[in-house]
Amino acid sequence: GDFIRTKGLLLVEIIKFLTGREIVATVEKHGLNKRQHALWLCERFDKIITYLKGTGALLNGVYPEFLVDEQDYHRLLRDKMAKVQSGEWSIVDGDRLKHWIALYEDRDRFRDVSASAWRAVLMQTIRIFVLNRITPKQFSTVPNCGDLAVNSATDASIAGSNVFSVAESIIL
């Protein structure tokens, strides 16, 4: 709720806190009509998702349109439908649009998809900026976990995993 209400500013602040970098402008553009503002928000979320993917986040199922509120989603959908009708978009994009229209018509489903997208973004943000800071050396200083850290540092199944990073394997 708060992430959508703040138009993603809360997420931008979290990323800035964890990385020390400002990835998108935190000041909203004024003087835009509602459709232009929705397009601007979508572009902003696209930049955030692209940045997160570039740092290792697994967000291939998250679209920027799923991170906006319902009214902005409707404005974006109308804009996309106009592009299909004018021929700016291909038929393939038009076919994908059918699913997005169905998502808009079922408000509860949209809320579920939006919540799932936000959870994925937040979990991946934590995974890449917090969990990746854990090393076997740091983990060995945790009381009552020193033996586990020594064993995990030398365990080939942890260091050579194709699924989990070393930090994730240590925590698991």
Coordinates of all heavy atoms in Angstrom, one line a residue, residues 51-99:
Y51 N 17.6 -1.2 -13.4 CA 18.8 -1.0 -12.5 C 18.9 -2.3 -11.6 O 20.0 -2.8 -11.4 CB 18.6 0.2 -11.6 CG 19.7 0.3 -10.6 CD1 21.0 0.7 -10.9 CD2 19.4 0.0 -9.2 CE1 22.0 0.8 -9.9 CE2 20.4 0.1 -8.3 CZ 21.7 0.5 -8.6 OH 22.7 0.5 -7.7
L52 N 17.8 -2.7 -11.0 CA 17.8 -3.9 -10.2 C 18.2 -5.1 -10.9 O 19.0 -5.9 -10.4 CB 16.5 -4.1 -9.5 CG 16.0 -3.0 -8.5 CD1 14.6 -3.3 -8.0 CD2 17.0 -3.0 -7.3
K53 N 17.7 -5.3 -12.2 CA 18.1 -6.4 -13.0 C 19.6 -6.4 -13.3 O 20.3 -7.4 -13.3 CB 17.4 -6.5 -14.3 CG 15.9 -7.0 -14.2 CD 15.3 -6.9 -15.5 CE 13.9 -7.4 -15.5 NZ 13.2 -7.3 -16.8
G54 N 20.1 -5.2 -13.5 CA 21.5 -5.0 -13.8 C 22.5 -5.3 -12.7 O 23.6 -5.6 -12.8
T55 N 21.9 -5.3 -11.4 CA 22.7 -5.6 -10.3 C 22.5 -7.0 -9.8 O 23.0 -7.4 -8.8 CB 22.4 -4.6 -9.1 OG1 21.0 -4.6 -8.8 CG2 22.9 -3.2 -9.5
G56 N 21.7 -7.8 -10.5 CA 21.5 -9.2 -10.2 C 20.1 -9.6 -9.8 O 19.9 -10.8 -9.4
A57 N 19.2 -8.7 -9.8 CA 17.8 -9.1 -9.4 C 17.1 -10.0 -10.4 O 17.3 -9.8 -11.6 CB 17.0 -7.9 -9.1
L58 N 16.3 -10.9 -10.0 CA 15.6 -11.8 -10.9 C 14.1 -11.3 -11.0 O 13.3 -11.7 -10.2 CB 15.7 -13.2 -10.4 CG 17.1 -13.8 -10.1 CD1 17.0 -15.1 -9.5 CD2 17.9 -13.8 -11.4
L59 N 13.9 -10.4 -11.9 CA 12.6 -9.7 -12.0 C 12.0 -9.8 -13.4 O 11.3 -8.9 -13.9 CB 12.7 -8.3 -11.6 CG 13.1 -8.0 -10.2 CD1 13.4 -6.5 -10.0 CD2 12.0 -8.4 -9.2
N60 N 12.2 -11.0 -14.1 CA 11.8 -11.1 -15.5 C 10.2 -11.1 -15.6 O 9.7 -10.9 -16.6 CB 12.4 -12.3 -16.2 CG 12.1 -13.6 -15.5 OD1 11.7 -13.6 -14.3 ND2 12.3 -14.7 -16.2
G61 N 9.5 -11.4 -14.5 CA 8.1 -11.5 -14.6 C 7.4 -10.2 -14.1 O 6.2 -10.2 -14.0
V62 N 8.2 -9.2 -13.7 CA 7.6 -8.0 -13.2 C 7.7 -6.9 -14.3 O 8.7 -6.6 -14.8 CB 8.4 -7.5 -12.0 CG1 7.9 -6.2 -11.5 CG2 8.4 -8.5 -10.9
Y63 N 6.5 -6.3 -14.6 CA 6.4 -5.2 -15.5 C 6.2 -4.0 -14.8 O 5.5 -4.0 -13.7 CB 5.3 -5.5 -16.5 CG 5.5 -6.7 -17.4 CD1 5.0 -7.9 -17.1 CD2 6.3 -6.5 -18.6 CE1 5.2 -9.0 -18.0 CE2 6.5 -7.6 -19.4 CZ 6.0 -8.8 -19.1 OH 6.2 -9.9 -19.9
P64 N 6.7 -2.8 -15.3 CA 6.5 -1.6 -14.5 C 5.0 -1.2 -14.4 O 4.6 -0.6 -13.4 CB 7.2 -0.5 -15.4 CG 7.8 -1.2 -16.5 CD 7.5 -2.7 -16.5
E65 N 4.1 -1.7 -15.3 CA 2.7 -1.4 -15.2 C 2.1 -2.0 -14.0 O 1.0 -1.5 -13.5 CB 2.0 -1.9 -16.5 CG 2.4 -1.1 -17.7 CD 3.6 -1.6 -18.4 OE1 4.3 -2.5 -17.9 OE2 3.9 -1.0 -19.5
F66 N 2.7 -3.1 -13.5 CA 2.1 -3.8 -12.3 C 2.4 -3.0 -11.0 O 1.9 -3.4 -10.0 CB 2.6 -5.2 -12.2 CG 2.2 -6.1 -13.4 CD1 2.9 -7.2 -13.7 CD2 1.1 -5.8 -14.1 CE1 2.6 -8.0 -14.8 CE2 0.7 -6.6 -15.2 CZ 1.5 -7.7 -15.5
L67 N 3.3 -2.0 -11.1 CA 3.7 -1.3 -9.9 C 3.0 0.0 -9.6 O 3.2 0.7 -8.7 CB 5.2 -1.1 -9.9 CG 6.1 -2.3 -10.0 CD1 7.6 -1.9 -10.1 CD2 5.9 -3.3 -8.9
V68 N 2.1 0.3 -10.6 CA 1.3 1.6 -10.4 C 0.0 1.2 -9.8 O -0.4 0.1 -9.7 CB 1.1 2.3 -11.8 CG1 2.5 2.7 -12.4 CG2 0.4 1.4 -12.8
D69 N -0.8 2.3 -9.4 CA -2.1 2.0 -8.8 C -3.1 1.7 -10.0 O -2.8 1.8 -11.1 CB -2.6 3.2 -8.0 CG -2.7 4.5 -8.7 OD1 -2.8 4.5 -10.0 OD2 -2.8 5.5 -8.1
E70 N -4.3 1.4 -9.6 CA -5.3 0.9 -10.5 C -5.7 2.0 -11.5 O -5.9 1.7 -12.7 CB -6.6 0.4 -9.8 CG -6.4 -0.8 -9.0 CD -7.6 -1.3 -8.3 OE1 -8.7 -1.2 -8.9 OE2 -7.5 -1.6 -7.1
Q71 N -5.8 3.2 -11.1 CA -6.2 4.3 -12.0 C -5.1 4.5 -13.0 O -5.4 4.7 -14.2 CB -6.5 5.6 -11.2 CG -7.7 5.6 -10.4 CD -7.5 4.9 -9.0 OE1 -6.3 4.7 -8.6 NE2 -8.5 4.5 -8.4
D72 N -3.9 4.5 -12.6 CA -2.8 4.7 -13.6 C -2.6 3.5 -14.5 O -2.3 3.7 -15.7 CB -1.4 5.0 -12.8 CG -1.4 6.3 -12.2 OD1 -2.0 7.3 -12.7 OD2 -0.6 6.5 -11.2
Y73 N -2.9 2.3 -14.0 CA -2.9 1.2 -14.8 C -3.9 1.3 -16.0 O -3.7 1.0 -17.1 CB -3.2 -0.1 -14.0 CG -3.1 -1.4 -14.8 CD1 -1.9 -1.9 -15.2 CD2 -4.3 -2.0 -15.2 CE1 -1.9 -3.1 -16.0 CE2 -4.3 -3.2 -15.9 CZ -3.0 -3.7 -16.3 OH -3.0 -4.9 -17.1
H74 N -5.1 1.8 -15.6 CA -6.2 2.0 -16.6 C -5.7 3.0 -17.6 O -6.0 2.8 -18.8 CB -7.5 2.4 -15.9 CG -8.6 2.6 -16.9 ND1 -9.2 1.5 -17.6 CD2 -9.3 3.7 -17.2 CE1 -10.1 2.0 -18.3 NE2 -10.2 3.3 -18.1
R75 N -5.1 4.1 -17.2 CA -4.6 5.1 -18.1 C -3.5 4.5 -19.1 O -3.5 4.8 -20.3 CB -4.0 6.3 -17.4 CG -5.1 7.1 -16.7 CD -4.5 8.3 -15.9 NE -5.5 8.9 -15.1 CZ -5.5 8.7 -13.7 NH1 -4.6 8.1 -13.1 NH2 -6.5 9.3 -13.0
L76 N -2.6 3.7 -18.5 CA -1.6 3.1 -19.3 C -2.2 2.1 -20.3 O -1.8 2.0 -21.5 CB -0.6 2.4 -18.4 CG 0.3 3.2 -17.6 CD1 1.0 2.4 -16.5 CD2 1.3 4.0 -18.4
L77 N -3.2 1.4 -19.9 CA -3.9 0.4 -20.7 C -4.6 1.1 -21.9 O -4.5 0.7 -23.1 CB -4.9 -0.4 -19.9 CG -5.5 -1.6 -20.6 CD1 -4.5 -2.6 -20.9 CD2 -6.5 -2.2 -19.6
R78 N -5.3 2.2 -21.6 CA -5.9 3.0 -22.7 C -4.9 3.5 -23.7 O -5.1 3.5 -24.9 CB -6.7 4.2 -22.1 CG -8.0 3.7 -21.5 CD -9.0 4.9 -21.3 NE -8.3 6.1 -20.7 CZ -8.6 6.7 -19.7 NH1 -9.7 6.4 -19.0 NH2 -7.9 7.8 -19.3
D79 N -3.7 4.0 -23.2 CA -2.7 4.5 -24.1 C -2.2 3.3 -25.0 O -1.9 3.5 -26.2 CB -1.5 5.1 -23.2 CG -0.5 5.7 -24.1 OD1 -0.8 6.7 -24.8 OD2 0.7 5.2 -24.1
K80 N -2.0 2.2 -24.4 CA -1.5 1.0 -25.2 C -2.5 0.6 -26.2 O -2.2 0.2 -27.3 CB -1.1 -0.1 -24.2 CG 0.1 0.1 -23.4 CD 0.4 -1.0 -22.5 CE 1.5 -0.7 -21.5 NZ 2.7 -0.3 -22.1
M81 N -3.8 0.6 -25.8 CA -4.9 0.2 -26.8 C -4.9 1.2 -28.0 O -5.1 0.8 -29.1 CB -6.2 0.2 -26.1 CG -6.4 -1.0 -25.2 SD -8.0 -1.3 -24.4 CE -8.7 0.2 -24.1
A82 N -4.7 2.5 -27.7 CA -4.6 3.5 -28.7 C -3.5 3.2 -29.7 O -3.6 3.4 -30.9 CB -4.5 4.9 -28.1
K83 N -2.3 2.8 -29.1 CA -1.2 2.5 -30.0 C -1.4 1.3 -30.9 O -1.0 1.3 -32.0 CB 0.1 2.3 -29.1 CG 0.6 3.5 -28.5 CD 1.9 3.2 -27.7 CE 2.4 4.5 -27.1 NZ 3.6 4.3 -26.3
V84 N -2.1 0.3 -30.4 CA -2.5 -0.9 -31.2 C -3.4 -0.4 -32.3 O -3.2 -0.8 -33.5 CB -3.1 -2.0 -30.3 CG1 -3.6 -3.1 -31.2 CG2 -2.0 -2.6 -29.4
Q85 N -4.4 0.3 -32.0 CA -5.4 0.8 -33.0 C -4.8 1.7 -34.1 O -5.2 1.6 -35.2 CB -6.6 1.4 -32.3 CG -7.4 0.5 -31.5 CD -8.5 1.2 -30.7 OE1 -8.5 2.4 -30.5 NE2 -9.4 0.4 -30.1
S86 N -3.8 2.5 -33.6 CA -3.2 3.4 -34.6 C -2.1 2.7 -35.4 O -1.6 3.3 -36.4 CB -2.6 4.6 -33.9 OG -1.5 4.2 -33.1
G87 N -1.7 1.5 -35.1 CA -0.7 0.7 -35.8 C 0.7 1.0 -35.3 O 1.6 0.4 -35.9
E88 N 0.9 1.7 -34.2 CA 2.2 1.9 -33.7 C 2.8 0.6 -33.1 O 4.0 0.4 -33.0 CB 2.2 3.0 -32.6 CG 2.0 4.4 -33.1 CD 2.0 5.4 -31.9 OE1 3.0 5.4 -31.2 OE2 1.0 6.1 -31.8
W89 N 1.9 -0.2 -32.6 CA 2.3 -1.5 -32.0 C 1.9 -2.6 -32.9 O 1.0 -2.6 -33.7 CB 1.6 -1.7 -30.7 CG 2.3 -1.1 -29.5 CD1 3.2 -0.1 -29.5 CD2 2.1 -1.5 -28.1 NE1 3.6 0.2 -28.3 CE2 3.0 -0.6 -27.4 CE3 1.3 -2.4 -27.5 CZ2 3.0 -0.7 -26.0 CZ3 1.4 -2.5 -26.1 CH2 2.3 -1.6 -25.4
S90 N 2.7 -3.7 -32.8 CA 2.4 -4.9 -33.7 C 1.3 -5.7 -33.1 O 0.8 -5.5 -32.0 CB 3.7 -5.7 -33.7 OG 3.9 -6.3 -32.4
I91 N 0.9 -6.7 -33.9 CA -0.2 -7.6 -33.5 C 0.2 -8.4 -32.3 O -0.7 -8.7 -31.4 CB -0.6 -8.5 -34.7 CG1 -1.2 -7.6 -35.8 CG2 -1.6 -9.5 -34.3 CD1 -1.5 -8.3 -37.1
V92 N 1.4 -8.7 -32.2 CA 1.9 -9.5 -31.0 C 1.7 -8.7 -29.8 O 1.2 -9.3 -28.7 CB 3.4 -9.9 -31.2 CG1 3.9 -10.6 -30.0 CG2 3.6 -10.7 -32.4
D93 N 2.0 -7.4 -29.8 CA 1.8 -6.6 -28.6 C 0.3 -6.5 -28.3 O -0.1 -6.5 -27.2 CB 2.4 -5.2 -28.8 CG 3.9 -5.2 -28.9 OD1 4.5 -6.0 -28.1 OD2 4.5 -4.4 -29.7
G94 N -0.5 -6.5 -29.4 CA -2.0 -6.5 -29.2 C -2.5 -7.7 -28.6 O -3.4 -7.7 -27.8
D95 N -1.9 -8.9 -28.9 CA -2.3 -10.1 -28.3 C -2.0 -10.1 -26.8 O -2.8 -10.6 -26.0 CB -1.6 -11.3 -29.0 CG -2.2 -11.6 -30.3 OD1 -3.4 -11.1 -30.6 OD2 -1.6 -12.3 -31.1
R96 N -0.8 -9.6 -26.5 CA -0.5 -9.5 -25.1 C -1.4 -8.6 -24.3 O -1.7 -8.8 -23.1 CB 1.0 -9.0 -24.9 CG 1.5 -9.1 -23.5 CD 2.9 -8.7 -23.3 NE 3.6 -8.5 -24.5 CZ 4.6 -7.6 -24.6 NH1 4.9 -6.8 -23.6 NH2 5.3 -7.4 -25.8
L97 N -1.9 -7.6 -25.0 CA -2.8 -6.6 -24.4 C -4.1 -7.3 -23.9 O -4.7 -6.8 -22.9 CB -3.1 -5.5 -25.4 CG -3.6 -4.2 -24.9 CD1 -2.6 -3.6 -23.9 CD2 -3.8 -3.2 -26.0
K98 N -4.5 -8.3 -24.6 CA -5.8 -9.0 -24.1 C -5.7 -9.5 -22.7 O -6.6 -9.4 -21.9 CB -6.0 -10.2 -25.0 CG -6.5 -9.9 -26.4 CD -6.7 -11.3 -27.1 CE -6.4 -11.1 -28.6 NZ -6.5 -12.4 -29.3
H99 N -4.5 -10.0 -22.3 CA -4.3 -10.4 -20.9 C -4.3 -9.3 -20.0 O -4.8 -9.4 -18.8 CB -3.0 -11.2 -20.8 CG -2.9 -12.4 -21.7 ND1 -3.7 -13.5 -21.4 CD2 -2.2 -12.7 -22.8 CE1 -3.5 -14.5 -22.4 NE2 -2.6 -14.0 -23.2

